[in-house]
Amino acid sequence: MIRTKIRSALHTSQPGETIKVCGWVRTRRDSKCGFSFVELNDGSCMSNLQIVIDQNVPDYEKLIKDVSTGSSLSVTGKVIESPGKNQRIELHAESFYLYGTADPETYPLQKKRHSFEFLREIAHLRPRTNTFGAITRVRNEAATAIHRFFQSRGFVYIQTPIITTSDCEGAGEMFQVTTLNLNRLAQVQTEIDFSQDFFGKAASLTVSGQLEAEIFATSIGECYTFGPTFRAENSNTTRHLAEFWMIEPEMPFYDLQDNMALAESFVRTVIGDVLKNCAEDMEFFNQRIDKTTLETLRNITENEFIRIPYTEAIEIVKSSGKKFDFPIEWGSDMQSEHERFLTEEHFKQPVIVYNYPKTIKPFYMRCNDDGKTVCAMDVLVPGVGEIIGGSQREERYDILIDRMKEGGLNPEEYWWYTDLRKYGTVPHSGFGLGFERLIQLITSMTNIRDCIPFPRTPKNAEF
Amino acid sequence: MIRTKIRSALHTSQPGETIKVCGWVRTRRDSKCGFSFVELNDGSCMSNLQIVIDQNVPDYEKLIKDVSTGSSLSVTGKVIESPGKNQRIELHAESFYLYGTADPETYPLQKKRHSFEFLREIAHLRPRTNTFGAITRVRNEAATAIHRFFQSRGFVYIQTPIITTSDCEGAGEMFQVTTLNLNRLAQVQTEIDFSQDFFGKAASLTVSGQLEAEIFATSIGECYTFGPTFRAENSNTTRHLAEFWMIEPEMPFYDLQDNMALAESFVRTVIGDVLKNCAEDMEFFNQRIDKTTLETLRNITENEFIRIPYTEAIEIVKSSGKKFDFPIEWGSDMQSEHERFLTEEHFKQPVIVYNYPKTIKPFYMRCNDDGKTVCAMDVLVPGVGEIIGGSQREERYDILIDRMKEGGLNPEEYWWYTDLRKYGTVPHSGFGLGFERLIQLITSMTNIRDCIPFPRTPKNAEF
């Protein structure tokens, strides 16, 4: 008999039908009248299916004591209208099979609530909890919504390289990748000869696929990356991971206005899809993690984003009369507290700040005619602050070269990147979004380590 | 005016409409009668749009000489029914703007045909060629079809870690990941202290996400990975990359038969979707790369896959009377020549070989009752041979531990993996497919380095 998933059973199975379900026991309660209630979950949805196993079901006496939290079952039985008010149907077992037990003495996931810190230590079992089941389903829906958003607009999904021999953005510290025998290195006193290394030169893990994405934007058209990126920063915060997934769309013939419009549409569509397609899980986050979750997200999906130039944003922050930990002046980078003031207190809705001072932005952002600012944009949303950073790219060869030199970069190392401006250059734009930051925003989870299956942070790469 | 993509213009724009297109010039021909023909491509499809620019169009005299191969244009004009027989419509320019030139003296992509070897050296420009434009679009469609296949069946997309501290499969050599100062290491004569390294122990790049995927299969249900994996093997062949993308589905409550059925359906669906949705690009591969491309792929999508046990496959190969480079006996691994004989010559259609000797397969594959074989399967297809490898997983704790010890592995290092068997174990299965091998099969490209945007191979990690 073919397995029915519990999600499907709960939604569409009709009383009288015989079905087979498989899953993991969340709880068992024994009635004094010779039967047991089993709550079974198979990960297809948050809800459990309530199963009644009667003492007359074969093997009841022999097996029921081992049907404990965490054990795995298959159950065949009849769907019955549930007398309880919490569920539409339940299943009356006609037979069951115990795949595997879970010794209550040692199984770490007992019925009580566990701290997220503890669950991180058993990341191999935490997807069996309500919270991490929901996060996993939301991650899946968000990833799917992202692909759907871009594919429906004719964007091409590209895979940019993970191992790279150029520190392309200068965007932070990188992990080295090598096949050199480190122990032998440490024993012979010498200069390292990277020509003997796997790639013939020093190699690292990528911090961004943007520069490579520009290659495709200027040949194949609108495109996007969705892949892992890395930062070897010793940041032990609730918002940093050493390994995280990024989405980086890149679009030819888009100016900054087009870029902002796409970013807004992107954020609103993806969050809207999750709200619609993961309603049960989102209800859970709203009830159990943060009671403002749904309100915050609806604020994002239902309001047009404010767009203001950086210069104006700084004026608003300065004239607010509010005390900030960090002073702010035109020319300085906005801190999280300023960004959150703008989006959460002043405008009370998402804000896109654009035209930042060029001194605080990377070389590849397009210079404005004022000589002071570049076509940068940051999308700020209530709840987390900055969620997207992007820009129109500098497509003018000479200006790009000058900017590189100003930034202390050697244009020759970027020969292929500058070639894109030398041959058939076009205006183009793009932005980047950290996937786990998005998941953090959507789920209201406090720590980003709970928004990725297996977090990599300083001193931690377990599993 | 909003840009119309050339794909859309060619398919749906009607004579009389005024549209704006943007793209890169493939060729320009000047007529003696005072106008020029420009073939414009924007990457949205293989075909160019033919544009007629008349000498009366503003700036014609000034700019037309710079409208050379590789330069970038925007053109606004009127759609005209084409008198030529190769296209439905053409565009008569009313105005045009030259974004960027491409000096014919130095632009490497001139009209002539270039070798794939040469194009690999200019991987930043090769997506502007017909072949690599087509590969990029096919890759996108294949990736999208893969997500669609799994999502429509309720599978959950998971991201397994890239950086790992365990050599999980023992499946080949790994790249080390470190933030230790290698030069300093090489200068002080000492033992390496990995507790000082970023993750507090030696770390590497993953070779497979399977073991982590099993965590989700045994909690959340059917799931799949789609991410980069790495092999630090010094293999300079047309079929090996140091960095490649893998798809690894993992399904609870699936036995080997279910696994084979899913793998077959997967291959046929994904290839079928590419044939349908990339018809123009596939026609190109069939004409220009290999005239048997479409026939080979239709053989796969239109035929049910043969399923035979390894023992029987060996008998067929041995009794074929055919001379092979490698001798074959029961118990030895099949070489590519044997696999291709089976699928290309003997059966002339795709074949799934299953129940391999346990001595040649990894510890995690489920032992059959015969004591000699395991529930492994390989999918072999004409054209490339093995395209998928998979198995039912060993879900019995004691047998798994024994198999690890037999293989010289320390079960304690796999504590979280064995926990999945200790607590609520269930039968489950999965398989893996190398994405670039699939692209190689679909496009008939001889060298896998042409099937990924930026190949990483020994001594090469450019771009």
Side-chain angles (χ1 to χ4, degrees):
Chain A
M1 190 170 195
I2 288 176
R3 165 169 93 103
T4 299
K5 289 193 197 176
I6 287 175
R7 179 192 171 95
S8 159
L10 289 173
H11 282 88
T12 60
S13 290
Q14 292 305 316
E17 276 177 43
T18 297
I19 62 171
K20 174 181 164 185
V21 295
C22 302
W24 292 267
V25 173
R26 286 294 173 85
T27 61
R28 188 192 87 230
R29 256 180 328 118
D30 297 327
S31 137
K32 285 172 186 153
C33 317
F35 56 87
S36 301
F37 291 107
V38 170
E39 296 283 328
L40 198 72
N41 189 287
D42 68 359
S44 63
C45 61
M46 165 88 51
S47 297
N48 305 319
L49 177 64
Q50 176 161 296
I51 297 172
V52 182
I53 310 182
D54 187 275
Q55 64 189 359
N56 299 320
V57 173
D59 292 334
Y60 177 88
E61 293 296 344
K62 193 174 112 203
L63 296 178
I64 197 72
K65 66 177 188 315
D66 286 333
V67 178
S68 60
T69 299
S71 64
S72 45
L73 289 186
S74 99
V75 182
T76 303
K78 195 154 264 165
V79 176
I80 305 286
E81 210 165 312
S82 177
K85 64 178 182 344
N86 293 325
Q87 62 264 338
R88 187 179 64 90
I89 56 140
E90 58 188 43
L91 191 67
H92 284 206
E94 285 162 358
S95 66
F96 72 105
Y97 180 79
L98 181 65
Y99 288 121
T101 57
D103 182 358
E105 297 295 313
T106 60
Y107 186 57
L109 277 181
Q110 294 305 319
K111 217 182 138 185
K112 72 183 181 87
R113 235 170 154 165
H114 302 282
S115 75
F116 293 139
E117 288 73 19
F118 170 70
L119 290 175
R120 249 169 255 148
E121 290 168 18
I122 51 166
H124 63 307
L125 298 176
R126 67 179 185 172
R128 300 184 184 191
T129 65
N130 283 338
T131 305
F132 289 90
I135 293 168
T136 305
R137 287 184 295 269
V138 162
R139 253 184 95 94
N140 174 63
E141 176 56 29
T144 305
I146 288 165
H147 281 299
R148 196 164 47 218
F149 177 86
F150 288 123
Q151 292 294 329
S152 68
R153 283 161 179 77
F155 283 57
V156 171
Y157 176 36
I158 52 166
Q159 286 83 15
T160 46
I162 310 300
I163 299 172
T164 176
T165 51
S166 55
D167 173 1
C168 279
E169 265 200 73
E173 296 181 50
M174 299 175 85
F175 288 102
Q176 303 163 93
V177 175
T178 181
T179 54
L180 294 174
N181 184 323
L182 299 186
N183 273 311
R184 198 181 307 152
L185 267 192
Q187 277 152 25
V188 291
Q189 216 161 323
T190 176
E191 282 285 291
I192 292 189
D193 179 6
F194 280 109
S195 75
Q196 299 302 312
D197 205 349
F198 191 92
F199 295 110
K201 52 168 98 168
S204 322
L205 293 180
T206 185
V207 294
S208 163
Q210 176 200 317
L211 303 200
E212 288 91 352
E214 291 188 44
I215 288 171
F216 284 88
T218 56
S219 57
I220 208 78
E222 291 136 316
C223 63
Y224 65 107
T225 71
F226 189 168
T229 51
F230 306 84
R231 297 286 151 84
E233 281 163 24
N234 196 4
S235 300
N236 257 308
T237 79
T238 57
R239 288 179 40 86
H240 288 88
L241 293 167
E243 171 180 319
F244 57 100
W245 286 63
M246 282 249 280
I247 297 103
E248 298 183 282
E250 194 71 32
M251 300 77 64
F253 317 113
Y254 276 50
D255 62 18
L256 188 64
Q257 292 296 324
D258 301 326
N259 201 18
M260 289 195 268
L262 186 79
E264 173 174 347
S265 173
F266 172 77
V267 170
R268 294 172 68 182
T269 303
V270 170
I271 293 177
D273 283 2
V274 174
L275 287 175
K276 194 176 71 186
N277 298 327
C278 295
E280 184 187 25
D281 294 319
M282 291 309 303
E283 197 55 58
F284 173 87
F285 293 117
N286 198 56
Q287 276 175 26
R288 306 293 281 272
I289 305 298
D290 183 334
K291 304 249 182 259
T292 66
T293 304
L294 291 178
E295 186 190 325
T296 299
L297 297 179
R298 289 201 190 110
N299 181 352
I300 296 171
T301 59
E302 288 167 12
N303 288 300
E304 285 192 6
F305 294 8
I306 305 280
R307 298 182 192 179
I308 52 164
Y310 166 90
T311 303
E312 201 177 307
I314 294 297
E315 280 312 309
I316 291 171
V317 173
K318 280 176 67 179
S319 61
S320 68
K322 203 177 145 77
K323 268 275 182 203
F324 293 103
D325 293 340
F326 294 87
I328 185 133
E329 283 299 331
W330 198 99
S332 60
D333 223 347
M334 274 197 273
Q335 300 296 319
S336 186
E337 57 176 347
H338 309 125
E339 294 174 339
R340 296 187 65 156
F341 164 75
L342 281 171
T343 182
E344 291 172 8
E345 296 181 47
H346 184 81
F347 288 109
K348 298 189 172 63
Q349 71 189 78
V351 184
I352 309 183
V353 179
Y354 63 95
N355 286 352
Y356 281 77
K358 72 175 178 180
T359 49
I360 58 171
K361 291 291 183 184
F363 70 91
Y364 51 73
M365 297 190 173
R366 192 180 200 275
C367 292
N368 284 317
D369 291 342
D370 62 15
K372 295 187 302 183
T373 62
V374 289
C375 288
M377 65 160 195
D378 281 353
V379 179
L380 317 178
V381 294
V384 301
E386 188 201 320
I387 184 88
I388 280 181
S391 72
Q392 183 168 346
R393 314 309 188 189
E394 184 54 78
E395 88 281 13
R396 295 162 297 185
Y397 183 83
D398 294 341
I399 298 177
L400 181 69
I401 299 285
D402 287 347
R403 286 277 285 158
M404 284 178 163
K405 288 179 181 164
E406 277 170 38
L409 300 172
N410 178 1
E412 279 171 29
E413 285 179 19
Y414 294 79
W415 64 278
W416 54 266
Y417 187 71
T418 56
D419 261 11
L420 304 179
R421 280 69 179 170
K422 205 163 171 178
Y423 302 119
T425 191
V426 298
H428 63 289
S429 299
F431 61 81
L433 167 116
F435 187 53
E436 284 72 22
R437 290 267 173 96
L438 177 69
I439 300 303
Q440 209 178 359
L441 165 66
I442 293 176
T443 61
S444 296
M445 294 297 289
T446 306
N447 197 320
I448 200 164
R449 296 168 200 211
D450 298 328
C451 297
I452 189 167
F454 307 99
R456 269 73 182 106
T457 51
K459 305 298 171 204
N460 173 45
E462 265 299 330
F463 306 99
Chain B
M1 190 169 194
I2 288 176
R3 165 168 94 102
T4 298
K5 288 193 198 176
I6 286 174
R7 178 192 171 93
S8 160
L10 290 173
H11 282 90
T12 61
S13 289
Q14 292 304 316
E17 278 177 42
T18 298
I19 62 171
K20 173 182 166 184
V21 295
C22 303
W24 292 267
V25 172
R26 286 295 171 85
T27 60
R28 188 193 87 229
R29 260 180 323 118
D30 298 326
S31 137
K32 285 171 185 154
C33 317
F35 57 87
S36 301
F37 292 107
V38 171
E39 296 282 331
L40 198 72
N41 189 288
D42 68 0
S44 62
C45 62
M46 166 89 47
S47 296
N48 306 320
L49 176 64
Q50 177 161 294
I51 296 172
V52 182
I53 309 182
D54 186 274
Q55 63 188 358
N56 299 321
V57 173
D59 293 333
Y60 179 89
E61 293 297 343
K62 191 173 114 203
L63 296 177
I64 197 70
K65 65 179 189 314
D66 285 333
V67 178
S68 60
T69 299
S71 64
S72 44
L73 287 187
S74 99
V75 182
T76 303
K78 196 154 262 160
V79 176
I80 305 287
E81 211 165 312
S82 177
K85 64 176 177 359
N86 293 325
Q87 62 264 336
R88 188 179 63 89
I89 56 143
E90 58 188 43
L91 190 67
H92 283 206
E94 287 161 357
S95 66
F96 71 106
Y97 180 79
L98 181 65
Y99 289 120
T101 58
D103 182 358
E105 296 295 314
T106 61
Y107 186 57
L109 276 182
Q110 294 305 320
K111 216 181 137 185
K112 72 181 181 85
R113 233 169 155 167
H114 302 281
S115 76
F116 294 138
E117 289 73 18
F118 170 70
L119 290 176
R120 249 169 257 148
E121 290 167 19
I122 50 165
H124 64 308
L125 297 175
R126 67 179 185 173
R128 302 184 183 192
T129 66
N130 282 340
T131 304
F132 288 90
I135 293 169
T136 305
R137 286 184 294 269
V138 163
R139 252 185 96 93
N140 174 63
E141 176 56 29
T144 305
I146 287 166
H147 281 299
R148 197 163 46 218
F149 177 85
F150 288 123
Q151 292 293 330
S152 68
R153 283 160 179 78
F155 283 56
V156 171
Y157 176 36
I158 52 167
Q159 286 83 14
T160 46
I162 310 302
I163 298 173
T164 176
T165 51
S166 55
D167 173 0
C168 278
E169 264 199 75
E173 296 181 54
M174 299 175 83
F175 288 103
Q176 304 163 95
V177 174
T178 182
T179 54
L180 294 175
N181 185 323
L182 299 185
N183 272 312
R184 198 181 307 152
L185 267 192
Q187 276 153 26
V188 291
Q189 217 161 320
T190 176
E191 282 287 289
I192 293 188
D193 178 6
F194 280 109
S195 74
Q196 300 301 314
D197 205 349
F198 191 91
F199 296 110
K201 51 168 99 171
S204 321
L205 294 179
T206 186
V207 295
S208 162
Q210 177 200 317
L211 303 201
E212 287 91 354
E214 290 188 45
I215 289 171
F216 284 89
T218 56
S219 56
I220 209 78
E222 292 136 317
C223 62
Y224 66 107
T225 72
F226 189 167
T229 51
F230 306 84
R231 297 285 151 84
E233 281 163 24
N234 197 4
S235 300
N236 258 308
T237 80
T238 58
R239 287 178 43 84
H240 289 87
L241 293 167
E243 171 181 320
F244 57 100
W245 286 62
M246 282 249 280
I247 297 103
E248 298 183 282
E250 194 70 33
M251 300 77 64
F253 317 114
Y254 274 51
D255 64 17
L256 188 64
Q257 292 297 324
D258 301 326
N259 202 18
M260 289 195 269
L262 186 79
E264 173 173 346
S265 173
F266 173 78
V267 171
R268 295 172 68 181
T269 303
V270 170
I271 293 176
D273 282 2
V274 174
L275 287 174
K276 193 175 69 183
N277 298 327
C278 296
E280 184 187 27
D281 293 319
M282 291 309 304
E283 197 56 57
F284 173 87
F285 293 117
N286 197 57
Q287 276 176 25
R288 307 293 280 273
I289 305 296
D290 183 334
K291 304 248 183 256
T292 65
T293 304
L294 292 178
E295 187 191 325
T296 299
L297 297 179
R298 289 200 190 112
N299 181 353
I300 295 171
T301 59
E302 288 167 12
N303 288 300
E304 284 192 8
F305 293 10
I306 304 279
R307 299 182 191 179
I308 53 162
Y310 166 89
T311 303
E312 201 176 306
I314 295 297
E315 279 313 309
I316 291 170
V317 173
K318 281 176 65 178
S319 61
S320 69
K322 201 177 148 77
K323 268 275 183 198
F324 292 104
D325 293 341
F326 293 87
I328 186 135
E329 283 300 331
W330 198 100
S332 60
D333 223 347
M334 275 198 272
Q335 300 295 320
S336 186
E337 58 176 346
H338 309 125
E339 294 173 339
R340 296 187 64 154
F341 165 76
L342 281 170
T343 183
E344 291 172 7
E345 295 182 47
H346 185 80
F347 289 109
K348 299 188 172 64
Q349 72 189 77
V351 184
I352 308 183
V353 180
Y354 62 96
N355 286 351
Y356 281 78
K358 71 175 178 180
T359 48
I360 57 171
K361 291 291 182 184
F363 70 91
Y364 52 73
M365 297 190 173
R366 192 180 200 276
C367 291
N368 284 318
D369 292 342
D370 63 14
K372 294 187 302 184
T373 62
V374 289
C375 287
M377 64 160 198
D378 281 354
V379 179
L380 318 177
V381 295
V384 300
E386 188 202 319
I387 183 89
I388 279 181
S391 72
Q392 183 168 345
R393 315 307 188 191
E394 183 54 78
E395 88 281 14
R396 295 162 296 185
Y397 182 83
D398 294 341
I399 298 177
L400 182 68
I401 299 285
D402 287 348
R403 285 278 285 158
M404 285 179 163
K405 288 179 182 164
E406 277 170 38
L409 300 172
N410 178 0
E412 278 170 30
E413 286 180 15
Y414 295 79
W415 65 277
W416 54 266
Y417 187 71
T418 56
D419 261 10
L420 305 178
R421 280 69 180 170
K422 205 164 171 177
Y423 303 119
T425 191
V426 297
H428 62 288
S429 299
F431 61 81
L433 166 118
F435 187 55
E436 284 72 22
R437 290 267 173 95
L438 177 69
I439 301 303
Q440 209 178 357
L441 166 67
I442 293 176
T443 60
S444 295
M445 293 298 289
T446 306
N447 196 322
I448 199 163
R449 295 167 200 212
D450 298 327
C451 296
I452 189 167
F454 308 99
R456 269 72 183 107
T457 52
K459 305 297 171 204
N460 172 46
E462 265 299 331
F463 305 100

